[in-house]
Amino acid sequence: MTADFLIIGSGIAGLSLAIRAAKHGKVICLTKGSLLDSNTAWAQGGIASVLAESMRDEGDSVELHIADTLDAGAGLCNEAVVRTIVSEGANTIDDLIHYGVDFDKKNGHFSLGKEGGHSKRRILHARDTTGREIAEALVAQARITENLILLENHFAIDLITTGKLGMVADDRVLGAYALNRDTGEVEIFRSDRVILATGGCGKVYLYTTNPDSATGDGVAMAWRAGATIANMEFIQFHPTCFYNPAASGAEARSFLVSEAVRGEGAILINQKGEDFTKKHDPRGSLAPRDIVARAIDHEIKRTGAPCVYLDVRHKPTGFMKERFPFIYDTLLRFGLDCEKQPIPVVPAAHYQCGGVVTDINGKTTLRGLYAIGEVACTGLHGANRLASNSLLEGNVTARRALDEMLAHLHPNRESVELMDIPAWEHGDTAAPDELVVIYHNWDEIRRLMWDYVSIVRTDNRLRRAATRLRNLKKEVREFYWGHRVNADILELRNLVSVASLIVDCAVKRKESRGLHYTTDHPNTKATHAIDTRTRKF
Ligand code: FAD
Ligand code: SIN
């Protein structure tokens, strides 16, 4: 199949681009599971944006939102990018409302929430299931959009480039190979405009707030195709993932208690009931995430307790059920009444601040390849993302990427259609009968990343992780080439690549900054505010 725009991923970035792009040409949007299987659909707190003056919190301004974003980013944001994305936020909110997103209102005005690092209330939300509201509206809109082909259960395996076909003089993208999970066949999708909107890589870690689909496929594909990747050491750990050792099942393990709950007055306390976060930052429980997650990690290590607690017992009866019904009901289902008991929480891997290097319009270093949303490293987040800036970024850069693509001629469309692209060759026709190897390796990667490359790092632990990952990579490569591909093998191959990129970037950064904290280099270097760029040749 050939398309004018080949989009990989169906979260806010992919779908909002797909809907807009379909007005200008044929769009194919591939997604590896169902359309609603995305981090977007799990988002809780909301989307940060400074609205028109009559609708914003008193004293708020675009300048303040920019300042908060730069402050959270610990000296590594690209200020021009921050200015552009934050300034254009309000317009793209209008698009979402137009697609049917129903943000909460109070007395005829948008009800604005607050989260860590924000100096004002500026977060639009739909109760505590903002992501589901956005994802459902986008999917409904996409389904009725002409010129847009939505293909579920299509797992993009690798990008096809002229370089990979041996035409090294003119490296550009030609499309992608994707596994049709319903038939088991690998299909070729041709396009000279391929847009990665594949989200992040939370599943690289043992404990994460992310759904199973977040395996870093886009970063791994871009890396294999030779695009530049940067800042992968900056993995954001969300401070308040529900801690529930008795529970089994992914839902209980990765259940997030939104930062917006702290925005409404919840406080982090230790087992003795002390508000320990103030010792680390005067903003206490509402400091930026890197600071709060480190404070919790420190407290857990200091006291030997398995978790800390989020306390909302001082809020009026009925408040949680009304403002955070999903969180309230889910906790009840897990046996916890948060009006009467403090909520046990621990930090967990949440967001990938680095990724495929792009300009403000989603353009990567490989011709024809774009990256938008969490997979991209635009410079908005720097060393630590400000809460609720991610949905904002995905929505704004989707719009900008389309404008950028439309502003340029489309000279390669026909040549891509005629190009001799070899059919996929399966390594072996036998189905993998050694699934246990996959599960073992998957578990080993996630565990070693958690033990050696999480909130607090050391040179020694990073070295160990690098050595272990080198061996695992070799094993996974042999397995990959020796078996017929399936989603598990593909995700394992991507996980090991992304884990290695995180470690490589972390090893390069000989300082502590934002989300990268190492006891061997505890200070922030005044002259070292650079990306950890890394490129495969
Ligand atoms: P995603 O929404 O993750 O979509 C990626 C898509 O790509 C998925 O459809 C996936 O299946 C598909 N895909 C991946 N690999 C392949 C492949 N190989 N082939 C085909 N398809 C593929 N951010 C905020 O701003 N505000 C919040 O309140 C907020 N709350 C959050 C709460 C939770 C629990 C989580 C996990 C994240 C939260 N975030 C929040 C972060 C935010 O949700 C994500 O960063 C954002 O939704 C990413 O959007 P995206 O479109 O880039 O990627
Ligand atoms: C949350 O609701 O706490 C998540 C917000 C975010 O990740 O931006």
Side-chain angles (χ1 to χ4, degrees):
M1 290 173 94
T2 307
D4 295 304
F5 306 90
L6 175 63
I7 299 172
I8 306 174
S10 64
I12 188 169
L15 285 181
S16 64
L17 173 61
I19 294 164
R20 290 173 179 129
K23 291 196 186 90
H24 306 275
K26 178 176 165 190
V27 180
I28 296 176
C29 177
L30 309 178
T31 195
K32 67 178 172 178
S34 76
L35 285 169
L36 282 171
D37 185 0
S38 64
N39 279 23
T40 297
W42 284 32
Q44 293 186 354
I47 177 163
S49 189
V50 179
L51 303 174
E53 246 167 83
S54 62
M55 291 189 270
R56 58 177 76 150
D57 196 10
E58 203 183 327
D60 199 11
S61 65
V62 167
E63 282 306 317
L64 267 185
H65 188 180
I66 291 169
D68 291 346
T69 304
L70 293 173
D71 179 53
L76 210 59
C77 298
N78 178 329
E79 187 170 342
V81 168
V82 173
R83 287 195 166 276
T84 306
I85 293 181
V86 168
S87 312
E88 294 181 6
N91 285 340
T92 56
I93 296 287
D94 288 344
D95 291 349
L96 292 178
I97 293 169
H98 174 73
Y99 299 144
V101 176
D102 186 16
F103 291 114
D104 290 347
K105 286 195 176 133
K106 209 172 175 181
N107 306 326
H109 285 277
F110 287 112
S111 147
L112 301 173
K114 195 164 189 260
E115 290 179 45
H118 286 275
S119 53
K120 293 283 174 187
R121 286 185 171 267
R122 60 170 76 101
I123 296 164
L124 288 135
H125 51 83
R127 280 74 55 199
D128 50 354
T129 45
T130 313
R132 199 162 70 207
E133 174 74 23
I134 292 175
E136 284 176 355
L138 288 172
V139 168
Q141 183 68 34
R143 286 196 196 282
I144 57 165
T145 299
E146 279 177 26
N147 244 354
L148 167 55
I149 300 172
L150 299 166
L151 295 175
E152 295 182 304
N153 287 330
H154 276 71
F155 193 125
I157 303 174
D158 260 321
L159 298 168
I160 305 166
T161 62
T162 47
K164 284 190 187 169
L165 298 187
M167 294 173 253
V168 281
D170 163 39
D171 206 9
R172 61 190 166 91
V173 75
L174 301 170
Y177 289 107
L179 170 71
N180 178 335
R181 295 170 79 176
D182 296 327
T183 63
E185 294 306 318
V186 176
E187 299 167 2
I188 295 173
F189 292 88
R190 293 163 186 263
S191 184
D192 60 340
R193 292 156 166 171
V194 178
I195 303 98
L196 293 171
T198 45
C201 67
K203 292 303 276 192
V204 168
Y205 286 89
L206 191 56
Y207 302 108
T208 175
T209 62
N210 288 192
D212 286 348
S213 50
T215 49
D217 300 355
V219 166
M221 279 190 278
W223 168 248
R224 287 193 291 268
T228 302
I229 311 291
N231 291 5
M232 289 298 290
E233 70 275 34
F234 299 118
I235 298 293
Q236 183 170 71
F237 289 79
H238 196 294
T240 56
C241 183
F242 182 46
Y243 175 73
N244 187 8
S248 60
E251 191 198 1
R253 275 202 308 275
S254 58
F255 181 61
L256 179 76
V257 182
S258 174
E259 195 155 299
V261 179
R262 274 175 280 142
E264 299 299 340
I267 289 169
L268 282 160
I269 53 172
N270 62 18
Q271 267 181 327
K272 287 188 178 157
E274 297 158 342
D275 172 0
F276 59 92
T277 53
K278 286 256 166 60
K279 284 187 282 185
H280 299 262
D281 190 287
R283 289 165 288 185
S285 295
L286 270 181
R289 269 183 208 166
D290 55 338
I291 296 169
V292 178
R294 252 192 324 273
I296 296 176
D297 186 75
H298 178 84
E299 194 64 11
I300 286 176
K301 286 182 179 141
R302 188 184 71 79
T303 60
C307 63
V308 295
Y309 297 88
L310 189 63
D311 195 3
V312 288
R313 289 171 297 175
H314 53 286
K315 297 299 288 182
T317 308
F319 171 80
M320 284 299 288
K321 185 156 179 56
E322 195 194 326
R323 173 65 180 87
F324 300 106
F326 172 65
I327 293 171
Y328 178 82
D329 289 342
T330 309
L331 290 174
L332 263 192
R333 208 153 33 82
F334 293 144
L336 189 126
D337 180 349
C338 63
E339 288 190 339
K340 300 199 175 84
Q341 298 158 276
I343 310 163
V345 290
V346 284
H350 183 65
Y351 186 84
Q352 164 195 306
C353 293
V356 184
V357 173
T358 70
D359 67 7
I360 179 69
N361 302 319
K363 217 159 103 179
T364 72
T365 53
L366 177 63
R367 202 134 67 89
L369 181 69
Y370 293 78
I372 51 175
E374 190 168 339
V375 67
C377 179
T378 57
L380 173 68
H381 309 306
N384 174 45
R385 174 179 66 104
L386 183 67
S388 285
N389 264 359
S390 171
L391 294 172
L392 169 75
E393 181 186 41
N395 206 19
V396 171
T397 52
R399 200 192 236 221
R400 293 190 68 91
L402 178 63
D403 291 346
E404 162 77 21
M405 287 184 270
L406 295 177
H408 292 96
L409 290 174
H410 196 182
N412 298 315
R413 192 191 193 288
E414 277 175 17
S415 74
V416 166
E417 215 154 6
L418 299 173
M419 192 81 72
D420 189 15
I421 297 178
W424 181 263
E425 273 185 48
H426 283 288
D428 192 316
T429 47
D433 53 358
E434 295 165 80
L435 282 180
V436 65
V437 177
I438 299 181
Y439 299 135
H440 178 85
N441 285 348
W442 176 294
D443 192 59
E444 188 172 347
I445 293 166
R446 298 184 65 205
R447 205 169 275 282
L448 84 87
M449 289 301 286
W450 185 260
D451 289 342
Y452 298 155
V453 199
S454 59
I455 298 173
V456 176
R457 300 164 182 178
T458 67
D459 284 348
N460 196 21
R461 281 189 232 153
L462 290 178
R463 258 194 306 275
R464 272 168 193 247
T467 309
R468 298 271 283 278
L469 284 167
R470 256 196 304 279
N471 292 338
L472 278 162
K473 239 176 167 171
K474 212 165 133 246
E475 210 168 286
V476 171
R477 200 177 304 131
E478 279 163 17
F479 201 80
Y480 173 77
W481 288 112
H483 291 83
R484 195 181 173 89
V485 290
N486 66 16
D488 289 335
I489 293 181
L490 294 173
E491 286 184 341
L492 178 65
R493 176 182 179 231
N494 292 334
L495 275 184
V496 76
S497 297
V498 171
S500 306
L501 283 165
I502 295 170
V503 173
D504 288 352
C505 289
V507 165
K508 279 189 190 162
R509 188 166 292 283
K510 303 285 184 217
E511 63 164 349
S512 292
R513 181 184 293 279
L515 296 157
H516 175 71
Y517 181 78
T518 153
T519 52
D520 289 316
H521 313 278
N523 299 320
T524 304
K525 287 188 185 166
T527 54
H528 204 67
I530 53 159
D531 290 337
T532 44
R533 279 169 192 259
T534 175
R535 168 115 199 252
K536 188 179 182 201
F537 291 98

